Amino acid sequence: MTISAGNDIVDLQSIDTARTSDPRFYSKFITGPETGLRSLSQLADMPTEHFVWLLWSVKESVYKFEQRHNPGLVFSPSKIIVEHITPALNMAHATNGPIEGKGFDEQPCYKSTMAFNQHTFYSRSIITNRYIVTVVNNRDHFENMYWGVKPIDNSSPAYQSILVREFIIKKLGAFFESNQLNIIKTPSGCPILHDGLAETTIPVSLAHHGQYVAYAFHLADA
């Protein structure tokens, strides 16, 4: 079983709601059968912008998951097919501070199943009135997947990049006795966790958008 990590976050305060709801926009990455998922009674009342960016975040997360082992992969969201969505019973409530978790048993989340390159993927997505955050795995188990979301006060790319690294390294410090953890991107843009000069085997994924940063990492199954 391939171990990897993939995540994404969408700051709902940074999107153009009118543009998002225009079929000329979302049809570029959402297929006809996928739009039909909204006809499910449990999703019928979901705002269009939430539905569109939920699917985007799922597809982006699958791409990040696969890119780790396929550096030449090109992001083609229309080829990543969302086959099923199980709605959350309630919308999660955003807080003013960071939220971190291991797995998603304690969180109201949307569960999706996706097909890509003859493989099946599974996701967990939390939707609040402020953001959508998604984590993907190639097993329908997330008990060893760690994740976090944090609001920041500056949306410049350089600041986002610094803050998301500080965020995940602080969490990873609980599993390492080293103070030399750092994250280096490969030429293809995939983040790799290093301990000093040595590359670790723990897959990490980073995301940022607007005034939010998010991480995910997967510890090997026991």
Side-chain angles (χ1 to χ4, degrees), residues 24 45 58 69 85 93 109 111 122 201:
R24 291 174 296 180
D45 295 331
V58 166
H69 301 291
I85 302 174
H93 297 287
C109 59
K111 301 178 181 180
Y122 306 88
T201 59

Side-chain angles (χ1 to χ4, degrees), residues 41-73:
S41 59
Q42 302 97 322
L43 296 176
D45 295 331
M46 175 185 281
T48 299
E49 65 271 19
H50 286 189
F51 178 77
V52 169
W53 289 112
L54 169 62
L55 267 63
W56 172 271
S57 72
V58 166
K59 291 165 182 270
E60 175 80 18
S61 299
V62 170
Y63 166 70
K64 289 181 177 179
F65 189 101
E66 281 289 87
Q67 185 201 28
R68 179 173 305 276
H69 301 291
N70 185 1
L73 185 67

Side-chain angles (χ1 to χ4, degrees), residues 19 41 92 105-106 109 141 150 154 189:
R19 181 168 179 257
S41 59
D105 290 343
E106 306 299 322
C109 59
H141 299 284
K150 180 180 181 178
N154 187 319

Side-chain angles (χ1 to χ4, degrees), residues 72-91:
L73 185 67
V74 176
F75 183 39
S76 301
S78 62
K79 296 181 180 180
I80 301 170
I81 306 301
V82 180
E83 298 181 324
H84 182 74
I85 302 174
T86 300
L89 296 178
N90 299 292
M91 178 182 282

Side-chain angles (χ1 to χ4, degrees), residues 138-222:
N138 57 355
R139 298 176 60 201
D140 197 15
H141 299 284
F142 288 78
E143 61 268 23
N144 288 322
M145 192 74 75
Y146 292 77
W147 57 272
V149 181
K150 180 180 181 178
I152 59 176
D153 58 9
N154 187 319
S155 60
S156 73
Y159 189 74
Q160 292 171 332
S161 181
I162 292 170
L163 265 290
V164 73
R165 281 164 171 75
E166 290 180 352
F167 190 27
I168 188 173
I169 287 174
K170 181 178 179 181
K171 182 65 177 182
L172 285 162
F175 305 97
F176 288 83
E177 295 181 356
S178 171
N179 61 358
Q180 299 185 64
L181 297 179
N182 64 98
I183 293 174
I184 299 174
K185 281 195 172 183
T186 65
S188 64
C190 181
I192 303 295
L193 177 66
H194 285 70
D195 184 357
L197 297 177
E199 181 178 326
T200 74
T201 59
I202 296 178
V204 300
S205 183
L206 308 176
H208 48 75
H209 181 229
Q211 293 190 298
Y212 286 94
V213 296
Y215 71 75
F217 65 89
H218 190 184
L219 294 186
D221 295 336

